[in-house]
């Protein structure tokens, strides 16, 4: 029995990586791009990076399919995603009054929740649309709109900073 018949990859030992199906990265060598300094394959090249990320993505998707194949697996994934997403959002909320990327972290936590929960996916989509609408309004609006928008944003950030300082004191 041939190797391709055993594992179902469609790649035989003599067919090489060019005959591999899309998404099958098991027999493709990492770092096939030569280093411009002549010291062997360049493992930091964009091609090697894309290959590594494609391998990792394929591995994660295989792992996720295996977990989703059972009821307990689906339940466990939902619990893990809920805990991790909630933790990331909590860190973002803590960082809101501090100088830092609080809103970006909150949106990242929402994106994690959106992997498993439909309500989070809808909320993330709504948030993106509103953010794009607001940036378009500020970018294309008159100077008065820009000044009022930035002033309102500064008032909100200043108020949050003042409240957080009062809570810490």
């Amino acid at each position: 029995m041939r190797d391709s018949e055993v594992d179902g990859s469609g790649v035989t030992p003599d067919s090489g990586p060019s005959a591999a199906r899309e998404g099958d990265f098991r027999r493709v060598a990492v770092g096939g791009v030569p280093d411009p300094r002549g010291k062997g394959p360049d493992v930091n090249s964009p091609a090697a990076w894309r290959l590594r990320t494609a391998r990792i993505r394929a591995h994660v998707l295989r792992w996720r399919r295996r977990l989703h194949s059972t009821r307990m697996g689906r339940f466990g994934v939902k619990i893990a995603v809920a805990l991790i997403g909630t933790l990331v959002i909590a860190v973002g909320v803590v960082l809101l009054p501090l100088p830092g990327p609080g809103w970006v972290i909150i949106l990242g936590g929402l994106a994690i929740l959106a992997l498993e929960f439909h309500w989070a996916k809808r909320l993330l989509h709504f948030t993106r649309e509103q953010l794009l609408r607001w940036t378009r309004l500020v970018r294309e609006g008159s100077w008065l709109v820009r000044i009022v928008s930035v002033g309102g944003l500064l008032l909100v950030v200043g108020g949050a900073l003042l409240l957080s300082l009062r809570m810490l004191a």
Side-chain angles (χ1 to χ4, degrees), residues 128-159:
R128 273 191 202 146
E129 292 297 320
Q130 296 306 314
L131 187 61
L132 288 173
R133 195 180 97 195
W134 185 79
T135 55
R136 191 172 34 252
L137 175 76
V138 170
R139 205 178 297 145
E140 297 170 359
S142 67
W143 281 103
L144 180 63
V145 169
R146 291 180 186 186
I147 291 171
V148 169
S149 298
V150 172
L153 181 64
L154 289 176
L155 281 174
V156 168
V157 170

Side-chain angles (χ1 to χ4, degrees), residues 89-104:
I89 288 175
V91 169
V93 168
V94 168
L95 290 177
L96 272 179
L98 303 174
W103 284 110
V104 174

Side-chain angles (χ1 to χ4, degrees), residues 5 23 54 77 99 108 114 168:
E5 294 172 351
V77 168
L168 291 175

Side-chain angles (χ1 to χ4, degrees), residues 63-112:
W63 181 71
R64 186 172 184 228
R65 269 195 310 273
R66 199 171 343 143
L67 283 175
H68 276 259
S69 65
T70 65
R71 184 177 293 189
M72 284 302 292
R74 283 190 301 274
F75 185 66
V77 168
K78 279 196 183 276
I79 288 176
V81 166
L83 289 174
I84 292 170
T86 304
L87 180 68
V88 170
I89 288 175
V91 169
V93 168
V94 168
L95 290 177
L96 272 179
L98 303 174
W103 284 110
V104 174
I105 293 174
I106 290 173
L107 290 176
L110 191 58
I112 291 171

